[in-house]
Amino acid sequence: MNTRMRNPIFGFLISVLLLIVFSVPTYAADTTYVGETPSGIPYDRLEQEIDSYVNSHIGKSTPGAAIVVTKGDKVIFSKGYGYANIEKKTAVDPANTVFAYGSINKAFVWTSVMQLVEAGKMKLDQDIRAYFPEEFAKKLRYDKPITMLDIMSHTAGYEQHPLSTFTPSAENLTSLEETLLSSQPQQIYEPGKVIAYSNFATALAGLAVEKVSGESFSDYEMNHILRPLGMNRSSGHPMLGDHPDLQETEAIGYAVKEEGGFEARAHFYVPLYPAGAMEGTAEDLARFVMALNVPDSPLFTRPETVQSMLSRSYTPNEEILSNAHGFWEYRAEPHVVGHSGNVKGFSGNFAVVPDEQLGIVVLTNTEIEQKLTSGIINLLVQYKTKAPEIKVPAADLSPSGKLAGYYVQSGGTYTTYHELINYLGLIKVKAKGEHDLTLSVMGLSGVLKQISPNVYKFDKSDDPRFERLAPILYAEISNGQVVRLSKGIATDILPIKGSRSIPALICYLVLAAIAVLFFILAPLVMSMRWLIRKRKGSPSASAAHRLLTAAIVCGTILTVHILYLLANALINENVTVGQMNFGVALNWVLAILVGMLIALSFVKGKHQPESKWIKRVRIGVGVLYSGFALLLANWHFFHFIP
């Protein structure tokens, strides 16, 4: 074959290979399918519309993605885009590429619970303490029962445990019951009152499934959901113990670099595995979605069970979309529910439109990805043009001035020194005119317009991310006081008050700044004074002065250690409870040592001649340290983590 003949053929083959690499369809859109999506896209244009949208983001927001659309019990679109492995140039295949599902796993927990409810073995309104040992109940703060409905709506009242959701080694994994009892967070809200997203509570529901069924949760999941649906390329086992072959086709998870491009994420494990350890393919997840859409679902014996599961079970206000037995309600017409997932290196989302038997699955191999995981679902279920809103007379609206102030998110840690992190991202709310609001957080700002009494809807912002942050808010008012601002999903926004009010926070900040500056700079000043005294041949300092110097040095060590703990809490994902408690113990030792040295310095100073300046310095150090120690205690730096 001559060269001129080979080059065109070679070029053609390369172009075909590139097409295969960047777009691997298993099913094309069924062009014979009539009708259109809820957003108005004709089904015979489904592939063109999805391709156009995905191609503008693939390689930018994520290296790879798999998208599947179902109608009834049929897959009408299935396609892979980009790379599952950038280095090896492995194409994404929706039938074979294995992604981490993340919190999508929670939908399988709720399905398991509803199966047991249907079988008469569980009740949604039963106190969950009936399923667990007394050791669990002793750690609850409120006597009010926690029900399975509370867990499903994330209103069980738990704070986040400071321990990372992930662990780098399988050696750190224990049984689900042991993991839950050893890392039980504090219950800081009354059940049913505040939405605070909880992986712990979800895993607790998984343990309830274990106790009632007599099977481990991963076995129950496999035997009653995955295997019956033919999900043969999925596993909920925390180590893929029931499906080790899936490791051969796992996608590499990535994070987006600040300078652009992607960096691979290390492999991880999820100790609270029912909350987010599941892995599988996009087409397997589509089988689950189809089972939720068909009237004769193989998951349940009665059609009304799945209908009930996908209907609203909780909302803070009837005008706010919220929760359907653990599934989140999405902003669309007709009624749409689903669940997203995000873990290290992976993001995903799925949506179910029961009235149209439509299902959508989007999986990507990049963490915190939203351009596709949210964008594709919005593309298919949200109307392009907004329906005209019914205007409520201004006289019927509530004055927004009472909402002005600062807020924090409910879904944080508030009983350990990690509480401080929540206040690094305060949410500022200001009244705009008589009835509207301006909300600002972490550099984002937007306007929310009151559409009915105490219900505020996103109006405008310079940053498109703001609408995802606060699409709608309901202001719950009780006895003239703001209880919470709720968007109905994941986490509420709570007003700061009392010892965490803005005046108090300013006082804390001033005291902390003075103490940190003093204990960082004082050793330098003392060293310089010591060198000067040594050169001049001055007599050595008194015992009282040496004790005070030792106290200041120990105070410096304590200050540096506090800063280290905070930095570690912010950036170290692999710190253990043992390491955190060692830090707390060291705080105790250093704090007591500083106090004792200052006290001894006062005692010695009474019996030795000293200048007034030295006495004033000692008093100043004593007062400053006392305030600093009280500040540390107030922010839980002496509180051991259970």
Side-chain angles (χ1 to χ4, degrees), residues 266 314-315 317 355 607:
Y314 172 86
T315 181
N317 180 276
D355 290 350
H607 304 290

Side-chain angles (χ1 to χ4, degrees), residues 153-160 189 194-198 410-412 490-492:
S153 60
H154 294 273
T155 59
Y158 288 108
E159 67 173 351
Q160 292 291 341
Y189 308 117
V194 174
I195 300 174
Y197 194 81
S198 177
S410 61
T491 181
D492 285 339

Side-chain angles (χ1 to χ4, degrees), residues 331-365:
R331 289 179 294 143
E333 288 290 342
H335 189 234
V336 180
V337 299
H339 210 295
S340 62
N342 182 69
V343 290
K344 286 185 182 181
F346 295 89
S347 301
N349 204 350
F350 81 88
V352 175
V353 189
D355 290 350
E356 300 201 5
Q357 296 189 356
L358 177 67
I360 307 161
V361 171
V362 185
L363 299 179
T364 72
N365 56 337

Side-chain angles (χ1 to χ4, degrees), residues 27 86 125 155 179 225 265 300 364 368 377 449 503 626 641:
Y27 300 85
I86 296 175
D125 58 357
T155 59
T179 299
I225 301 177
R265 280 295 223 163
F300 303 101
T364 72
I368 322 178
I377 290 175
K449 189 176 184 65
S626 297
I641 298 163

Side-chain angles (χ1 to χ4, degrees), residues 87-115:
E87 184 179 0
K88 294 182 179 180
K89 300 292 189 291
T90 306
V92 171
D93 181 348
N96 291 302
T97 301
V98 174
F99 294 83
Y101 287 173
S103 287
I104 289 173
N105 200 161
K106 292 178 173 67
F108 292 79
V109 177
W110 314 136
T111 301
S112 302
V113 168
M114 292 302 290
Q115 287 178 334

